[in-house]
Amino acid sequence: MIAAVSGLLVLGLAGCGSSDFASASLTTFVPTSAPATATTKSKPRPTASATGPTTSTLGPLPKVLSSTPSPVDANIITALGDLPAAFGCPKVPEPIVIPASGTTPAAIVCQSSLAGEAVFLWYAADPDAKYLAVKAAVATARYVHAGRRWVAGGMVHQGMGTVGGEVFKQ
């Protein structure tokens, strides 16, 4: 039986020519007209600088007490729902949404790994929204930091971990 199988294998291979085993592309070298380049996807970078002064039609923002770089990537924040991911909040327990009321905008409360505590988070799409969010944060939280498109308020840590940004209340 083994002899019969090996005989069939030899006969099958005998019918193949040398061109069946070598590809012409393996033996022919074609020079490229341009050098090969590697492309990589760029990752979003954290906001490295604090936000500049803004002008709101509703009034002036409180005085900025200090400003530091922030690891919060403002480029991924396009709505209130983006804030928990940007601040490193876990999905469990689920962030708490505080609905808007009157001139106070909606907020989210979650345990931020950047702040090292539970923080109130407001989305600030434009100078007027930032004014309302800072006003709500100053009225609600003990410490208030803000960046481009976000305002955060905490109660426990004066520096609120590594949130950075502009400090409006400490």
Side-chain angles (χ1 to χ4, degrees), residues 1-13:
M1 171 110 169
I2 294 175
V5 171
S6 62
L8 286 174
L9 184 60
V10 170
L11 285 175
L13 290 177

Side-chain angles (χ1 to χ4, degrees), residues 118-132:
V119 290
F120 294 89
L121 301 171
W122 289 268
Y123 174 61
D126 56 46
D128 288 344
K130 185 172 186 175
Y131 173 85
L132 292 173

Side-chain angles (χ1 to χ4, degrees), residues 33-115:
S33 60
T37 58
T39 58
T40 58
K41 267 188 158 180
S42 63
K43 292 183 180 179
R45 301 180 115 182
T47 306
S49 61
T51 61
T54 58
T55 305
S56 170
T57 60
L58 303 175
L61 288 170
K63 180 181 175 186
V64 175
L65 304 176
S66 66
S67 182
T68 58
S70 177
V72 177
D73 186 1
N75 295 323
I76 65 168
I77 302 172
T78 59
L80 184 67
D82 298 332
L83 290 168
F87 278 80
C89 298
K91 292 183 180 180
V92 175
E94 189 173 319
I96 300 166
V97 177
I98 300 171
S101 65
T103 60
T104 304
I108 289 183
V109 178
C110 64
Q111 180 67 32
S112 168
S113 62
L114 292 177

